[in-house]
Amino acid sequence: QKLAGVLGIRPTLYQKPAMLAKTLLFSTQTGVVMIAGTHDELRAIVKALGSAPFPTLYAGDRDHLLAITILPSRASRLVPLRF
């Protein structure tokens, strides 16, 4: 949330990865979504979106951020980032 504040972005919090994936896939909007979460949450989101390539996420890492582009076709592209 600190990064979002610095960037002037209002974060949206989801309790379950499946709810986030459903929202992204069935939204009429396209664009890039930045996602931060725990190792397990990020893996679940990527799996639910069917994004590729599937990034290597290690349980001990705490610095993963995903940039997911939702295309008009509802396909998604994933870029794993580290900060």
Side-chain angles (χ1 to χ4, degrees), residues 20-76:
L20 172 59
K22 182 177 179 180
T23 299
L24 293 175
L25 291 174
F26 293 102
S27 171
T28 58
Q29 297 179 349
T30 60
V32 177
V33 178
M34 301 301 285
I35 300 174
T38 66
H39 165 263
D40 292 333
E41 291 168 338
L42 294 176
R43 288 182 66 82
I45 291 167
V46 171
K47 185 176 181 180
L49 288 172
S51 294
F54 198 88
T56 301
L57 302 173
Y58 298 103
D61 290 345
R62 300 283 183 245
D63 58 353
H64 284 288
L65 185 66
L66 302 178
I68 299 177
T69 303
I70 306 297
L71 303 172
S73 67
R74 308 320 311 152
S76 59

